Amino acid sequence: MTNNHVRRLSGVLWAAAIFSVRPCPIFSQQLESQCPSTPRSKVDSLSAPDQAEKHTTLTEDAVLATVPDAPMPQNQAQDPPAPGPAASATHLNRYPIFSPGLTRAPLSIQDKFQIYTHKAYGPPAVILPAFGAGFGMLNPPNKYPKEWKDGAGAFGRNYGYRLADHTSRLTGQFLTGALLHEDPRYLRSTSSNPVFRTVHALAFTIFDKTDSGRTTFAASNFASAAAGGFVGMGILPDGYNDVTHAEQHMASEFLQIGIGNVLTEFEPQWGPWAKKLRIPKILPGWWVPEHRP
């Protein structure tokens, strides 16, 4: 019995000691809950507008969040749009001997120069004149001197002339087009009639487009034909380096431009067959980027 009384008494004393250590906070909380003091009321009254403003802001943000694709204010800075994929090489034709197709994107002078180098200094510009020189030697003009008809020296002379003819034509076309703001690309016909498309291609030899999209006189084509026609006056042997032969060569060069336009017009039809023959792989573009349609 004595031990039980002692344990009960010790428990009461521990409870009294704990209560005596923290009487003030408990009492103050009870007092504050029953009768709030005047200073706290002032603080609450001062913070009420701030709470109302904060609540209004949160409400407006919630409303804006529910509106789909809400436009941003003009005075609010917007992140710049992400740059699109590079458009380089899209203006190059996979067949360097033909002009690229005309698109809505305008060309800079750098783009025009890239088209010029793609056509004038690619592998076809080196390989095709060699074929031309070889075929020319198979059936040379009757009055050609021997040094232009037989042997490796004759092949070199004919090849040099063909190479100079090709380069001068494209150089004259590039310089004239850049000076007069002509677009070097070809605009295909919207017709499905082969006759109309052929007439359109031949007419595009005389009239082409400017950088702004207007139809204009194709001065660059005439300059190209003239450059190719008259360059032989300083290379060909006597009897073939006069003005008459130069004019004949000029007419032939202009006809080649027309034939090139016709082939470019119908490229969507014969292009898949040439692709199956791997012609773009046989005649790659060297340092120019690969064509991406």
Side-chain angles (χ1 to χ4, degrees):
M1 293 293 293
T2 303
N3 293 333
N4 293 335
H5 286 293
V6 171
R7 290 176 181 176
R8 291 177 183 176
L9 181 60
S10 61
V12 172
L13 292 176
W14 275 106
I18 293 173
F19 184 81
S20 64
V21 173
R22 301 185 58 118
C24 295
I26 297 174
F27 178 75
S28 62
Q29 290 177 3
Q30 293 177 353
L31 182 62
E32 195 171 358
S33 61
Q34 294 177 1
C35 182
S37 60
T38 303
R40 182 174 182 83
S41 300
K42 291 182 179 180
V43 172
D44 293 339
S45 62
L46 290 175
S47 62
D50 296 334
Q51 294 178 356
E53 183 179 358
K54 183 177 180 180
H55 178 72
T56 303
T57 304
L58 293 175
T59 304
E60 293 176 355
D61 293 342
V63 172
L64 290 175
T66 58
V67 179
D69 299 333
M72 298 179 65
Q74 295 182 355
N75 58 354
Q76 185 174 352
Q78 300 182 4
D79 295 334
S88 62
T90 56
H91 54 266
L92 298 178
N93 195 316
R94 62 166 61 92
Y95 308 104
I97 60 176
F98 300 123
S99 299
L102 185 64
T103 62
R104 293 180 178 271
L107 295 181
S108 64
I109 188 64
Q110 291 82 4
D111 295 330
K112 294 179 181 180
F113 183 75
Q114 188 179 33
I115 294 175
Y116 163 68
T117 56
H118 184 61
K119 297 174 66 176
Y121 302 105
V126 178
I127 299 174
L128 296 182
F131 283 101
F135 286 124
M137 292 180 63
L138 293 177
N139 187 22
N142 294 330
K143 296 182 179 180
Y144 249 30
K146 183 178 180 181
E147 60 268 17
W148 280 80
K149 293 190 299 184
D150 298 325
F155 177 82
R157 293 181 181 89
N158 282 277
Y159 176 74
Y161 164 68
R162 302 275 181 172
L163 194 63
D165 171 74
H166 177 80
T167 305
S168 61
R169 281 193 294 109
L170 294 177
T171 303
Q173 187 178 43
F174 165 70
L175 294 177
T176 306
L179 180 63
L180 300 179
H181 303 284
E182 292 184 31
D183 197 319
R185 297 173 294 183
Y186 176 78
L187 178 63
R188 290 190 177 92
S189 173
T190 57
S191 175
S192 59
N193 190 313
V195 177
F196 291 162
R197 294 176 65 183
T198 303
V199 173
H200 169 81
L202 295 177
F204 206 82
T205 308
I206 303 175
F207 300 98
D208 58 4
K209 296 293 183 179
T210 63
D211 293 337
S212 60
R214 293 185 300 103
T215 302
T216 185
F217 177 72
S220 60
N221 289 340
F222 286 88
S224 173
F230 285 89
V231 71
M233 295 182 65
I235 302 175
L236 294 175
D238 294 336
Y240 296 90
N241 56 358
D242 52 19
V243 176
T244 301
H245 285 86
E247 292 175 348
Q248 293 175 355
H249 291 154
M250 178 179 174
S252 176
E253 302 286 356
F254 198 78
L255 180 61
Q256 291 182 33
I257 296 175
I259 295 175
N261 284 347
V262 174
L263 293 175
T264 306
E265 172 67 34
F266 291 94
E267 183 182 346
Q269 282 69 46
W270 60 262
W273 295 94
K275 188 176 181 180
K276 291 180 180 179
L277 296 176
R278 300 183 178 274
I279 292 180
K281 299 297 182 181
I282 298 174
L283 299 177
W286 271 348
W287 59 83
V288 295
E290 184 180 356
H291 172 81
R292 295 193 300 271

